[in-house]
Amino acid sequence: MPSKVKKKDHTEMQNNEFDPVNLISKNPRTVVLMLDSPEETVLASACEAIYKFAEKSDANKIELLNTGVINGLNRLLSLEDKAVRTHAAACLGTLTGHVEIRKALRKTNCIAPLIALIQPEEELICHDHASLALCHLAADFTSKLEIYEKNGLQPLIKLLNSIDCDVQKNAVEAICYMVQDYQSRLAIRELNGFKPLLSLLESDYPIIQELALTTLLRCTQDADNRTALREVGGMEKLVDFIGNKDFEDLHVNCMAIISNCLEDHECMKLMQNNRGLEKLITFVVDSTSHAMQQRAAKAVGNAAKNAENRKILRELETEKLIIALFSSDNIGVQATAARALALMAENSGSREAIGKFDGVPPLISLLSSENVEARTFASLALANMTSSNTANCSLVVQANGIEPLIALLNDSKFEPQANAAVSLTNIAADEGYRAEIQRLGVVQSLVNALQSSNTTVQGKATLAVAALVCDTETRTELRNYNGCERIVTLLKSNNDQVRKCACWAINSCGNDLLTATDFCKHGALEILQDISTSNTRQSRFAKAALDCLLNCNLSAKYSLNGEISAQNFIQDGFYDAGQLRQGRPFLSLEEFSKSPIDAKRPYLLVYTKNPIRKVETPVTQPTTEKKHSSRRRDGRRSREQKEREETAREEEQQLLLQQMEEERKAAAGEWRPNYDATLANYIQEGQKNIQTLPNTREQVITLAKFVSDKMGGTIEKANLPGFGYELHINQLKYELKSNIIPLGSISMGTFYHRALLFKVIADRIGISTSLIRGKYTRAWNEVLISDDPEPGQPRYPPKTYIVDLIHEPGRLLLIDSMEAKKYCRL
């Protein structure tokens, strides 16, 4: 009986078992559905089929993606069965080669299981497939960040020591992608990743060596990583790698790493001490590879960014080796050689060495190159070489380098333009070379450079204008080419440096009346006034430019500031337009002449040029000096005498230009001021009768009485309100049919008429006096007069007096006295 029971149980078990099914499917959807099976053998078979199907084409990968294979494979990565996990990792390793698959995987949590599959306890085959999947995923920024955040970098670094070359390749490629992010670059140093990376340089597979070099190249962008690489002996291994000709096709990448490392002085010093730098330079010079030469020149240039490194390069006479690269027929090599010289030329010793080793001619030849980098670096090298180096400036001139530098001012790229402007500015420090630059027509090219929209070019070009436009001829060219208008426009720039440079150009070029007038014509005065009142834009440069324009345009200065100092001399063409309100433009005399007659205050004109008589050219008399030393006895002119002669020549040229301008206006029928014969006679009388008096006090008193006599005589204080000068002025305006009245035609004048006449005559006869405007038609003159001491008494400093021209003509009022205050106030 018991045996029958056993037989019955066995029969029931056979009835409950599912018979094996040999399934043949050609539809990937069916296979994907099998990923939900609880049987490991089925899962492994399904993964194997999916792997083979995906390997065939990218279209198959997309088809699998549409079936939802990602979720099934991702679930299998976490199963306990190693075979299933390995097969799932293999499928993902293949599928992640497609970008659309990687995008879909971002929405899943597949990275953490993949990182778990590359841990040391997993099998080698699992490492292979999982590292391949991570390698593909690391190509995307989001995924590489997730790998870093989930601590995937450390196990990847451990895989670099794997005995399987495929695992090494996958791991180093994944790391290569990850170190594009700065966080991973910092972490690889903390995880001691440089030693295994350097060991990969000895691999038998070039692709692994190349990936290791690329990873090191990206890591050495950070200074701390360069230090860590140096500490593990990386520099020596890199130099040895370059010395191995079997790896010649990888030498360029290795040189790029060395180029990064040489930016640090410690690496440079280490290379110098172990003679690695000499080996490196010698090897590069002997190399016939243009790419290698280019990388080597770039390495030298990077090293030269550090001041201490430049000293080491100078000791090794690296300039000579870099100059030798100009013999290459490859323009890229020449350009990088020029860049290296440009950076090395920041060292004064290297500047001299470059000139000594004939580095200037090849640089000048590159200025005309069609290659932008060649022009840029060659011009930068010349700009640095000519800085505070007269010998190199001379070499540039001798090598006919001025013309190509001027041509670069019209370049389409802003870097060559700026560098050329700096070079010309440096060379122009020598007066003889400056004249040569001016002769070759630099002004027009500078004006073209001023049109640039780049702030660097604008700043450098305006500085070049300040250095080169310093005589009458070049200033005339500047006006003719509308350079003044462009410089005034740059005053409105939002860039502080450009504004300062524009102010400096105005300060240097606006020292003559015509140029200053042109600046004012285009609104320079109004802009500079606005800058001077700004809390954010005001500067010493703007103040100096404003003072320069006002000193050359005394009419504007008197209207704006209400004062003309004793150092300013009123000349023909001056006019008193009254006090100018803030923000109002200052009009020219010609513009005032076009306004209809009105009842407002007239414009007083000083103009004594006789249109019939030609202005004679002044002759500069030689200045005799006392012979204080043997050098003076030898006939050498002193610096002061040269400056006086130069100033005299400038004044002579200005006078001739003004005369030519007057003749041009007369020929063209343009408006010109009327000749004031009466004022000319007043000046002649002053020169004849007052200038000959023995001392300043007598001259001032006599001139005050002379002015009072010509302007209506003495006026008592009580009679001042009834002094009818207004009627006389209005009659003159009616007779002349103009608001502009010549100063000499006024025979009844009050304070501001008499003070102006006093200043005009005083300037012509050598009396030092200032003209100051007060309120309510008041104006006065201040003079410095020394009292003659009694015999045996000391001489005291001169005192400032106000000259009475109204109530007691000739009376001198001490500046702070009550009488002086009453004279100046209503």
Side-chain angles (χ1 to χ4, degrees), residues 8 12-13 20 46 62 71 75 79 90 150 165 172 180 207 243 245 254 258 310 348 404 415 465 474 600 717 790:
K8 184 178 179 181
E12 288 178 0
M13 290 177 62
I62 296 300
N71 294 329
R75 181 174 53 83
L79 293 183
K150 294 186 176 179
C165 60
V172 72
Q180 290 177 329
I207 183 62
K245 293 186 177 181
C254 185
I258 295 176
R310 290 195 288 270
S348 58
E415 295 97 339
V465 168
T474 51
K600 297 180 180 179
K717 292 182 180 179
E790 297 293 334

Side-chain angles (χ1 to χ4, degrees), residues 294-346:
Q294 199 167 340
R295 275 294 183 184
K298 188 174 182 180
V300 172
N302 287 350
K305 292 179 181 178
N306 184 288
E308 296 299 324
N309 288 351
R310 290 195 288 270
K311 295 179 182 178
I312 296 175
L313 294 173
R314 174 78 282 279
E315 293 174 5
L316 298 174
E317 293 189 343
T318 315
E319 301 88 358
K320 184 187 298 184
L321 302 175
I322 296 298
I323 292 172
L325 294 178
F326 285 121
S327 60
S328 172
D329 56 354
N330 184 279
I331 190 63
V333 174
Q334 295 178 3
T336 50
R339 173 182 176 271
L341 290 182
L343 293 168
M344 293 170 67
E346 295 184 18

Side-chain angles (χ1 to χ4, degrees), residues 239-240 242 271 274-285:
V239 173
D240 292 340
I242 285 184
M271 292 279 283
N274 60 20
R275 304 186 66 84
L277 193 59
E278 295 180 28
K279 294 178 184 178
L280 187 65
I281 293 175
T282 304
F283 175 77
V284 170
V285 171

Side-chain angles (χ1 to χ4, degrees), residues 123 157 173 185 295 515 651:
E123 296 180 357
I157 291 175
E173 187 172 2
R185 290 200 297 271
R295 275 294 183 184
T515 307
E651 293 175 353

Side-chain angles (χ1 to χ4, degrees), residues 2 54 72 89 98 288 308 353 387 434 586 635 698 766-767 775:
H98 197 287
T288 57
E308 296 299 324
S387 176
R434 181 170 65 244
F586 182 77
E698 292 185 27
I767 298 177
K775 296 182 179 179

Side-chain angles (χ1 to χ4, degrees), residues 43 196 233 325 591 605:
L43 294 175
L325 294 178
E591 290 172 321
L605 173 64

